[in-house]
Amino acid sequence: MDFTLIAYGVSVYVGVLALTTFAYFGTWEIQTQSLPPYLVDQGYTPRIFVNQVVDQIDQIRLETASDSQTAVVKSGQITPAEEVASYFGVSELIRAGQASFGLAPPTIEVELTQRDDTAYWRLRGTHALNGPSVRSGEISTSETDQLFETVAHNAISFLSPFEGAAHDLIADSRVGDYSETIATTSALLRGCKAKPTVICTRANIRVGHTIRGLANLNSGDIRAAFEDLQTANEIDGKDAVATAFLGDVLRRLDQEEAARKRYDEALALNGEVGQTFVGFARGLAEAGNNPLALERYETAARLNVETPEFLADWAESLIAVGESKEALAKYLQAENLDTEADLYAEKIEELKKAVGEIEASKSPVPPLAPAPETAPATGGGTTTE
């Protein structure tokens, strides 16, 4: 029996870029018929497996800071829960419409096999740009969580390739090697130029250049980063987010004045662009990618964001990477701004203690005083007068 993940695909918001990327309009299905023994031994069934894939898709979209994600239907339920009524009705209506025209929904088939301590996965489906495609790989049977992330990532890459590229950027940031992101986005941009499909909108071309620009920026190729981000910023007029990222490029080059002009330009295009970077940072932090979250918090601050809540969130990411002293400074700044409530006193005291302990551990240990010299013993016995 097949168990199906159904997704309503109107549009997917790539939060890393604050730009819209369009995928299929209709329902999506991911099917799996059987599982290898090691997953069965862990208590998984095809139904549970698909639900885990859905959860991992949600995690990926959280990590890309998506704020308008595709609704996902699993086992008759929809996430997020508050949207059950509206999305369930729409999803079922679209399914009925497809059926009436004899159109099967796009399907991704997941095949899983096992040989000894190695699991083999294969995805078959219709890639939104490349058409019928197959992807496969292998993974240790001890890495079950990684298997779910791999399947979920490849599913997104089939259905919404530019969103998949955004996740490549996040995944590459964990290891500091951005070659996968650069290769993926380059292939998408070439494909859209050679044989465009419905996903090759001008907005998505901007997405591709922005993703590749950020990958080049993070890998140290500043010239390539500037060229990509400049290209993105010239498509359909200047964009506040891409302009702010250009400011980041210039800041990496220690051109603070030029960077400041870009940030001012971004604010002129959209006075709330800083809040977009706050959203990026919070999504990354919640997903555990605090180093990249800190970069987004820094940019948000340069875009004139300064609220107690923002500073407190920034402080928490600093704590997560072991920067207690800097975190304390952010909490003190938040406390100074919030004069009506005493929300941060406990955290401030906790950080003061932590910073004090760190400073004490760095203090040089005073040299030990030399032991007092003792007079050498004289001959045996005692004398009396």
Side-chain angles (χ1 to χ4, degrees):
M1 180 178 181
D2 290 356
F3 291 93
T4 303
L5 173 152
I6 307 169
Y8 167 44
V10 178
S11 66
V12 179
Y13 184 86
V14 181
V16 169
L17 310 172
L19 297 170
T20 302
T21 174
F22 294 95
Y24 287 106
F25 182 86
T27 59
W28 302 335
E29 294 186 354
I30 296 178
Q31 300 177 346
T32 184
Q33 297 182 359
S34 60
L35 299 178
Y38 86 99
L39 289 176
V40 175
D41 291 344
Q42 294 179 52
Y44 288 102
T45 65
R47 175 174 183 160
I48 294 173
F49 178 86
V50 168
N51 287 353
Q52 285 288 107
V53 171
V54 174
D55 291 341
Q56 190 58 52
I57 287 174
D58 288 341
Q59 179 67 14
I60 287 173
R61 287 185 169 139
L62 171 65
E63 199 164 0
T64 56
S66 176
D67 70 351
S68 181
Q69 63 182 311
T70 303
V72 176
V73 184
K74 57 182 182 180
S75 305
Q77 298 179 346
I78 298 175
T79 56
E82 61 269 23
E83 299 177 346
V84 171
S86 61
Y87 276 113
F88 185 77
V90 172
S91 296
E92 292 303 298
L93 179 62
I94 293 175
R95 280 184 66 89
Q98 286 178 322
S100 67
F101 287 101
L103 300 174
T107 300
I108 294 177
E109 298 177 357
V110 181
E111 300 174 10
L112 298 165
T113 58
Q114 176 186 354
R115 182 180 300 165
D116 299 326
D117 294 331
T118 302
Y120 299 88
W121 59 268
R122 177 181 296 173
L123 272 70
R124 300 175 182 268
T126 301
H127 189 279
L129 177 62
N130 302 324
S133 303
V134 176
R135 291 187 181 182
S136 61
E138 62 184 62
I139 194 168
S140 170
T141 55
S142 64
E143 297 179 295
T144 303
D145 290 343
Q146 184 61 43
L147 172 66
F148 287 122
E149 180 176 352
T150 299
V151 172
H153 170 72
N154 282 279
I156 289 176
S157 297
F158 268 51
L159 301 169
S160 185
F162 287 96
E163 188 179 15
H167 185 246
D168 279 329
L169 178 65
I170 302 300
D172 284 354
S173 72
R174 297 175 186 150
V175 295
D177 180 358
Y178 295 87
S179 56
E180 182 69 25
T181 301
I182 294 170
T184 298
T185 50
S186 296
L188 287 173
L189 292 169
R190 286 195 305 269
C192 280
K193 186 176 182 179
K195 191 176 180 181
T197 67
V198 67
I199 69 162
C200 296
T201 63
R202 291 179 66 82
N204 276 349
I205 300 304
R206 173 185 277 179
V207 165
H209 281 290
T210 307
I211 293 173
R212 192 170 67 182
L214 293 175
N216 282 317
L217 173 63
N218 292 342
S219 62
D221 192 342
I222 306 301
R223 180 176 179 179
F226 192 88
E227 290 176 354
D228 265 319
L229 291 168
Q230 186 67 33
T231 299
N233 211 25
E234 292 172 351
I235 298 175
D236 289 336
K238 290 185 176 180
D239 174 75
V241 173
T243 301
F245 277 130
L246 280 170
D248 288 350
V249 173
L250 293 166
R251 187 155 50 89
R252 289 281 187 94
L253 294 171
D254 294 325
Q255 297 182 25
E256 287 291 338
E257 185 60 30
R260 181 68 263 169
K261 289 180 179 178
R262 292 289 186 174
Y263 295 137
D264 289 342
E265 185 180 351
L267 286 166
L269 291 167
N270 179 1
E272 298 299 317
V273 65
Q275 293 299 330
T276 301
F277 279 81
V278 174
F280 299 163
R282 285 173 174 161
L284 290 164
E286 191 167 346
N289 198 332
N290 285 287
L292 197 54
L294 289 173
E295 292 186 21
R296 299 294 173 261
Y297 281 126
E298 178 66 33
T299 302
R302 290 171 179 267
L303 293 168
N304 297 342
V305 178
E306 187 183 39
T307 65
E309 297 79 13
F310 162 69
L311 292 165
D313 288 343
W314 192 352
E316 286 300 310
S317 283
L318 286 165
I319 292 171
V321 299
E323 299 291 346
S324 298
K325 190 173 182 178
E326 289 78 2
L328 175 59
K330 298 302 178 191
Y331 265 119
L332 288 171
Q333 191 178 351
E335 185 182 50
N336 289 335
L337 291 173
D338 190 355
T339 58
E340 297 182 359
D342 193 17
L343 299 176
Y344 310 115
E346 184 176 345
K347 198 71 179 184
I348 287 171
E349 289 304 314
E350 179 183 325
L351 283 169
K352 283 182 176 178
K353 181 179 179 181
V355 170
E357 291 174 352
I358 292 171
E359 293 298 326
S361 67
K362 294 179 180 178
S363 299
V365 178
L368 294 175
E373 294 185 4
T374 56
T378 57
T382 60
T383 61
T384 59
E385 294 185 0

